[in-house]
Amino acid sequence: MSGTVTAVSRNETYSFTKPNRDSVTLIAGLGVEGDVHAGVTVKHRSRVAQDPTQPNLRQVHLIHEELFDEVRALGFEVAPGDIGENITTRGIDLLALPVGTLLHLGDEAVVEVTGLRNPCMQIDNFQGGLLKQVVGRDEAGNIVRKAGIMGVVTVGGVVRPGDPVKFELPAEPHRPLDRV
């Protein structure tokens, strides 16, 4: 099973949205070159406030473009980069991948999946009511997070829209994604 990169985004400053780019360069152990969230230790403001020495398990944020189709059908307008992701994909169920999955992006880059994005109130500030569409509960009452996945760069490289995305599952037993 494979998919495609549909957009790449980065921002040098803290803001909710990230402008789309022609390409992004992933740097092993750091993240997206020139992105405010790149680094060995946490860069997300809430995490820095808790403990700035924590390892950065959120170097790269990926979202499946199918989520935008889903929320568009409910009246929301969301485009690649709008809710802060670095890489938008189509054709791979990112949320179903286990922790430790390796995502091969383009010719060189590899991102190891660390967990789920934990969506926050900034999503409602972007568009009122959107948070309820990207985080909710299933029939059993379990929290379901749909706002993408996070990962760390294990092999650097340039990633562009149109690049293939392939995944390599880790050894079993597989550990399901949880928030990071």
Side-chain angles (χ1 to χ4, degrees):
M1 184 178 190
S2 64
T4 305
V5 173
T6 60
V8 294
S9 311
R10 70 171 168 77
N11 202 341
E12 299 86 6
T13 60
Y14 284 104
S15 72
F16 186 67
T17 61
K18 295 186 182 209
N20 294 157
R21 309 291 181 160
D22 292 333
S23 67
V24 293
T25 301
L26 303 186
I27 301 173
L30 293 177
V32 179
E33 182 178 51
D35 191 79
V36 70
H37 294 113
V40 174
T41 56
V42 293
K43 300 300 176 201
H44 289 76
R45 290 177 179 171
S46 62
R47 311 249 169 177
V48 170
Q50 291 173 351
D51 177 3
T53 66
Q54 294 176 73
N56 188 2
L57 302 178
R58 300 165 54 107
Q59 294 174 357
V60 181
H61 177 198
L62 300 99
I63 284 186
H64 51 296
E65 192 170 40
E66 291 85 351
L67 175 65
F68 303 155
D69 299 339
E70 182 182 323
V71 298
R72 189 173 300 112
L74 300 169
F76 296 91
E77 248 342 285
V78 182
D82 279 353
I83 55 177
E85 77 277 7
N86 300 110
I87 298 175
T88 310
T89 66
R90 183 169 284 281
I92 290 183
D93 186 356
L94 297 175
L95 303 177
L97 299 173
V99 171
T101 298
L102 298 178
L103 293 171
H104 297 265
L105 305 163
D107 293 333
E108 303 170 301
V110 180
V111 171
E112 181 178 343
V113 177
T114 56
L116 295 168
R117 176 188 184 181
N118 190 32
C120 65
M121 287 302 298
Q122 289 186 42
I123 290 177
D124 264 354
N125 294 338
F126 173 70
Q127 282 186 46
L130 185 58
L131 182 60
K132 284 178 89 171
Q133 305 309 316
V134 298
V135 65
R137 296 196 179 269
D138 64 15
E139 302 80 31
N142 301 309
I143 295 176
V144 176
R145 293 173 179 87
K146 300 190 284 186
I149 63 171
M150 308 304 278
V152 296
V153 181
T154 59
V155 178
V158 176
V159 181
R160 296 176 181 81
D163 279 350
V165 180
K166 297 178 184 147
F167 65 89
E168 181 182 342
L169 295 174
E172 293 193 20
H174 292 162
R175 200 167 44 131
L177 296 178
D178 199 3
R179 68 185 175 120
V180 292

